[in-house]
Amino acid sequence: MFERLAEAKIQEAIRNGEFDNLPFGKSINLDYWASLPEDVRAGYMVLINSGCVPDEVHLLKEIGDLREQLADNTIQDKSMIIVKLREAELKYNLLKERRTQRK
C-alpha cells in the first residue's frame, strides 16, 4: 500500500513539473537525519509533511550548507563561513541539550 501511495505522489509531482530544473550530480547528505533518534525522526516527518519544520531541522540544513561552502575551493576567505558554522552548531547543540533535559 505504501509503495502505491509513494508511486502516485511521484507521478503527480512529475506531472506538476516539480522535478524539472533539479540540480544534477549533487548527492543528498542524510548523515544528520540518521543521527537523530527514531522517535524524533518520526515526529519531524509528521511536522515536515504538514508544512511545519522545527528549528533543529532548519539549523541542520544551515550547518550542511555551510559545510558545503567550506569545502568549496573557489571561496578564498572562509572566516565568516566558519563563524556562521560555529554559531549554527552551537544553537543546534543547545536545542538538542534542552530537548534531552526535558526527558
Side-chain angles (χ1 to χ4, degrees), residues 36-88:
L36 297 172
E38 188 174 334
D39 60 329
V40 173
R41 285 194 310 257
Y44 282 174
M45 284 304 297
V46 170
L47 292 171
I48 290 168
N49 290 336
S50 66
C52 303
V53 182
D55 292 336
E56 290 95 330
V57 174
H58 286 294
L59 286 169
L60 288 170
K61 181 179 181 343
E62 181 182 350
I63 289 168
D65 291 345
L66 290 167
R67 287 182 179 161
E68 285 182 15
Q69 290 177 25
L70 278 178
D72 185 352
N73 292 329
T74 61
I75 299 174
Q76 298 298 321
D77 185 15
K78 297 182 180 185
S79 59
M80 285 305 297
I81 297 170
I82 292 170
V83 168
K84 289 179 183 179
L85 176 60
R86 297 297 174 242
E87 287 175 359

